[in-house]
Amino acid sequence: MILDFDILSKIIFGANTVEEAEGKIVIRRFSSKQAESLWGKMTSQQKRPTSVYLEFETDAESLNISYCGAVTDAQTGMLNFSLFENGLLTSHYALDHVERPKEEKYVRFPDGKAEFALQKGMKRVTVYLPLMVIELTEIAVSDGARIVPCKRNGKMAVYGDSISEGYYSEVTGMGYFDQLCRALDCEGYNFSVGGSKFRPEYIPENSVPDCDRYLVAFGTNDFRRSSKEEFHRAMPEFFKRLFAQVTEKPVYVILPVWRKTEDKVFAYGDTLFAVREAIAAEASKYSNAVVINGRELTPHAMAFMHDGTHPNSLGHTHYALNLEKRIRRYETGLNRES
């Protein structure tokens, strides 16, 4: 049984827009206003359906997702869908890494179909899309199956870099932000882009969605690639724009997590410790900012890292668990100081 667009529009979450065009389901997590503000157009990075997922209750015993146009600009690419049943990862569809030809800018995957066998009986199914540009052409379940849209109890948005986008978590849906959204039972809007730094352009006028809480997790790329002058111009302006639109809901400002080179000196001209101090000082000027020391969220060991900068799957899980504890303490009033 092929699901029509009316049903699909009710079971796709984490997207700014979901449209049907020329037989394809086109999903965008950034608005046109955000894209134009950041890069003047919708880039391949912004087209990635990061943290976008399908979620519904069903008694179907099979689920097939047909896709096309799968492209990534990463050095190597792995196309994968992750399927959860009642909150547990039970299936993972993946194509092996494809090396990018030297003369090509992108890694391109052939069109295909992700096929899943589901448990019997009614269950809550969640499917995370690949971390790459991709379009869906058809979604089908067992004939006669019931599809019941379901929504989570809140909304949360994150502005960050490749770590918040879930790079190197190996399995989609297992980046710290996705894990955190499931733990807090909230729909997530991921406005993170790999390589990003504090940029006021992230926050054009009237662009911030209405959420219950917000996360900001920049700084590690600023440390590596921004001059001190550039950083201290962009970071305060970013916060100024964000807090002009978010005046009451909590904004969790996550200072950069541990990285192997944090005591070195790069473009910023000082260590990552100094970057953390500057972010904390600026964010603390706003009454609804909650500063969280990211250095206390991930283990300081390479066994939990992909490359000394990005956490691996295990590192992302520690990140999510420790961040969840701090958010719950704050929101229950047990600990108003992080």
Side-chain angles (χ1 to χ4, degrees), residues 56 58-63 83 85 90-91 116-120 123 125 141:
F56 53 93
T58 185
D59 58 356
E61 295 184 13
S62 67
L63 171 66
L83 183 140
E85 294 176 89
T90 57
S91 297
F116 300 99
L118 306 179
Q119 299 173 12
K120 294 183 178 181
K123 60 270 177 185
V125 172
V141 298

Side-chain angles (χ1 to χ4, degrees), residues 155-159 177 181 187-191 208-209 211-216:
K155 294 183 179 182
M156 176 166 62
V158 62
Y159 296 86
F177 181 69
C181 287
E187 180 180 358
Y189 294 91
N190 198 326
F191 300 122
V208 178
C211 293
D212 301 283
R213 61 181 72 85
Y214 303 83
L215 308 180
V216 174

Side-chain angles (χ1 to χ4, degrees), residues 24-66:
K24 302 173 185 177
I25 303 153
V26 181
I27 298 168
R28 296 288 181 263
R29 60 187 170 112
F30 282 90
S31 67
S32 297
K33 179 185 288 188
Q34 288 173 306
E36 290 170 5
S37 178
L38 279 165
W39 282 286
K41 62 179 181 179
M42 188 73 74
T43 68
S44 61
Q45 287 179 309
Q46 293 168 316
K47 290 178 181 179
R48 289 195 293 252
T50 307
S51 297
V52 174
Y53 60 94
L54 288 70
E55 193 160 69
F56 53 93
E57 293 182 352
T58 185
D59 58 356
E61 295 184 13
S62 67
L63 171 66
N64 298 328
I65 302 175
S66 299

Side-chain angles (χ1 to χ4, degrees), residues 223 262-263 270-278 295:
F223 158 68
E262 63 180 18
D263 58 347
D270 208 333
T271 67
L272 189 57
F273 295 92
V275 172
R276 292 187 184 106
E277 291 176 3
R295 199 169 187 270

Side-chain angles (χ1 to χ4, degrees), residues 76-324:
T76 61
M78 184 175 73
L79 186 153
N80 69 92
F81 292 81
S82 298
L83 183 140
F84 294 72
E85 294 176 89
N86 296 325
L88 179 68
L89 177 64
T90 57
S91 297
H92 180 226
Y93 169 90
L95 295 182
D96 291 339
H97 280 80
V98 176
E99 295 293 333
R100 183 179 70 188
K102 291 183 179 180
E103 67 279 6
E104 295 289 336
K105 184 177 180 181
Y106 300 104
V107 178
R108 303 179 187 275
F109 289 82
D111 299 348
K113 180 189 294 185
E115 300 179 324
F116 300 99
L118 306 179
Q119 299 173 12
K120 294 183 178 181
M122 289 295 291
K123 60 270 177 185
R124 185 168 182 151
V125 172
T126 307
V127 183
Y128 287 90
L129 304 185
L131 185 59
M132 59 177 60
V133 176
I134 194 167
E135 293 174 339
L136 308 182
T137 54
E138 183 180 282
I139 299 177
V141 298
S142 313
D143 287 343
R146 288 178 289 171
I147 299 292
V148 182
C150 52
K151 290 188 177 182
R152 300 180 185 179
N153 290 326
K155 294 183 179 182
M156 176 166 62
V158 62
Y159 296 86
D161 51 34
S162 55
I163 297 174
S164 295
E165 203 175 355
Y167 272 43
Y168 305 113
S169 60
E170 300 173 24
V171 177
T172 54
M174 292 302 287
Y176 86 84
F177 181 69
D178 298 326
Q179 293 191 55
L180 182 64
C181 287
R182 291 196 300 275
L184 297 175
D185 193 32
C186 57
E187 180 180 358
Y189 294 91
N190 198 326
F191 300 122
S192 305
V193 173
S196 290
K197 306 181 290 184
F198 276 104
R199 291 184 62 193
E201 293 84 1
Y202 258 104
I203 315 291
E205 187 176 358
N206 299 321
S207 67
V208 178
D210 183 19
C211 293
D212 301 283
R213 61 181 72 85
Y214 303 83
L215 308 180
V216 174
F218 294 111
T220 199
N221 288 315
D222 300 85
F223 158 68
R224 193 71 174 80
R225 303 203 322 268
S226 291
S227 67
K228 190 168 291 187
E229 180 182 9
E230 178 187 359
F231 174 71
H232 285 278
R233 180 177 62 251
M235 184 264 293
E237 182 61 24
F238 172 91
F239 282 130
K240 180 180 178 181
R241 292 191 184 190
L242 177 63
F243 284 102
Q245 296 184 47
V246 183
T247 57
E248 297 181 357
K249 300 292 178 61
V251 177
Y252 295 94
V253 179
I254 306 167
L255 307 182
V257 299
W258 178 82
R259 61 181 288 167
K260 189 177 180 180
T261 58
E262 63 180 18
D263 58 347
K264 306 295 183 182
V265 175
F266 295 105
Y268 180 71
D270 208 333
T271 67
L272 189 57
F273 295 92
V275 172
R276 292 187 184 106
E277 291 176 3
I279 296 171
E282 187 65 31
S284 296
K285 296 177 182 179
Y286 299 92
S287 60
N288 56 323
V290 183
V291 177
I292 294 178
N293 187 357
R295 199 169 187 270
E296 298 175 353
L297 301 180
T298 60
H300 301 188
M302 288 302 295
F304 300 87
M305 304 292 287
H306 171 77
D307 56 6
T309 300
H310 301 85
N312 59 20
S313 294
L314 190 55
H316 273 281
T317 295
H318 278 268
Y319 194 157
L321 289 171
N322 288 322
L323 182 53
E324 179 196 354

